[in-house]
Amino acid sequence: MASSALAKPQMRGLLARRLRIHIVGAFVVSLGVAVFYKFAVAEPRKKAYADFYRNYDSMKDFEEMKKAGVFQSIK
Amino acid sequence: MLSRAAWSLALRRGGLGTLGIHSLGGSAPSDRKMPPYTNYFAQRSYPMPDEPFCTELNAEQRALKEKEKGSWTLLSDAEKVALYRLQFHETFAEMNRRSNEWKTVMGCVFFFLGFAALLIWWQRVYMFPEKPITLTDEWKAQQLQRILDMKANPVQGLASRWDYEKKQWKK
């Protein structure tokens, strides 16, 4: 059984290697998720709000809502 | 009484039969108690059981255990394997072998999900009362119109998808 030519497997440092791989991976994954969120969610949301409020006329909005009849204090 | 004698006879017959075929590296132990009456529990998470797999040894196996008390370099490979098999039921590779159990599990899960779906369907047809007025289509349409009139979530939400000039959803 021992006369075959198997290479001796890695016997030491297994936990250290696993920890290194997973710590590096955790950093990369979390940074990647954060960057993705910033550019896929946060920036478009900021732009949407900026575009909405650039030419926003609140009095016109109010008149439209009053005409639709949603207010209780003013008809 | 009679059945117990017959059972122990069957055990002994089975054990001796297989031992006649294998000499030293026999994987079938002699005269061992059948589970669950043994104290041998070994799993991947509990790899060193309290007692060895074979507790009742024949003469050759006892001689081997005596030889084990000396220097292990004098043991041949076959003897080492035989000692391992006396101590443990399965190797790690055998213990961790995969199985097809997951197919059975998934099949049963889907079967019972389907059965539950049939029950719910029957309930919906024969048991449930009329919908309350707030769940009818007319009421829901009026509710949606009022939400759009109030311009709820006009930046990124519902009202931002409605075209107020053309009175329709934005494409």
Side-chain angles (χ1 to χ4, degrees):
Chain A
M1 176 178 146
S3 56
S4 58
L6 280 180
K8 182 170 175 176
Q10 178 71 10
M11 305 286 273
R12 293 168 180 272
L14 296 166
L15 180 64
R17 191 185 72 185
R18 176 195 164 86
L19 284 180
R20 185 167 61 234
I21 289 175
H22 282 73
I23 283 179
V24 168
F27 262 105
V28 168
V29 166
S30 46
L31 271 178
V33 167
V35 166
F36 173 79
Y37 185 86
K38 177 176 169 65
F39 288 112
V41 177
E43 290 300 320
R45 185 168 291 166
K46 287 195 275 191
K47 183 174 179 306
Y49 273 79
D51 292 342
F52 180 79
Y53 282 112
R54 190 169 296 124
N55 299 321
Y56 180 60
D57 185 3
S58 58
M59 290 315 293
K60 176 157 122 5
D61 232 17
F62 167 70
E63 291 300 327
E64 284 176 7
M65 285 194 217
K66 188 169 84 162
K67 198 150 57 90
V70 296
F71 290 123
Q72 288 180 327
S73 51
I74 183 166
K75 292 287 184 201
Chain B
M1 184 63 195
L2 197 60
S3 58
R4 197 193 300 239
W7 176 238
S8 61
L9 182 62
L11 268 184
R12 215 160 294 141
R13 181 75 60 76
L16 277 179
T18 48
L19 264 186
I21 300 172
H22 306 280
S23 57
L24 250 184
S27 55
S30 63
D31 244 0
R32 67 183 304 270
K33 297 184 279 229
M34 303 297 280
Y37 302 113
T38 61
N39 210 15
Y40 179 87
F41 295 111
Q43 308 150 308
R44 207 165 80 182
S45 56
Y46 192 74
M48 306 293 274
D50 303 328
E51 63 171 34
F53 183 55
C54 303
T55 41
E56 293 156 34
L57 309 171
N58 66 6
E60 302 178 68
Q61 292 167 331
R62 275 197 296 265
L64 189 56
K65 288 301 250 185
E66 287 300 316
K67 193 172 174 192
E68 190 194 14
K69 293 181 185 171
S71 170
W72 287 344
T73 53
L74 303 174
L75 294 170
S76 75
D77 282 344
E79 288 172 338
K80 288 179 192 170
V81 173
L83 283 169
Y84 183 91
R85 287 292 177 185
L86 285 180
Q87 188 74 17
F88 298 107
H89 179 210
E90 287 177 317
T91 66
F92 269 77
E94 291 164 5
M95 181 201 305
N96 295 336
R97 69 183 176 276
R98 50 177 188 207
S99 72
N100 285 327
E101 188 188 1
W102 68 273
K103 298 178 192 171
T104 312
V105 170
M106 292 309 283
C108 291
V109 165
F110 291 141
F111 175 79
F112 281 108
L113 280 177
F115 182 66
L118 285 175
L119 283 180
I120 292 173
W121 186 10
W122 181 88
Q123 283 177 342
R124 201 175 281 191
V125 170
Y126 288 106
M127 249 180 63
F128 284 174
E130 289 293 318
K131 274 191 196 172
I133 186 170
T134 50
L135 282 178
T136 56
D137 284 335
E138 303 85 43
W139 191 284
K140 289 202 287 191
Q142 289 172 349
Q143 193 166 14
L144 180 58
Q145 180 60 54
R146 190 176 159 83
I147 291 173
L148 290 173
D149 289 338
M150 288 195 280
K151 303 203 182 202
N153 297 328
V155 182
Q156 276 184 317
L158 189 61
S160 69
R161 310 299 295 268
W162 178 257
D163 192 341
Y164 283 92
E165 272 90 51
K166 296 199 209 114
K167 303 261 194 276
Q168 61 185 359
W169 293 108
K170 287 183 187 168
K171 297 288 180 287

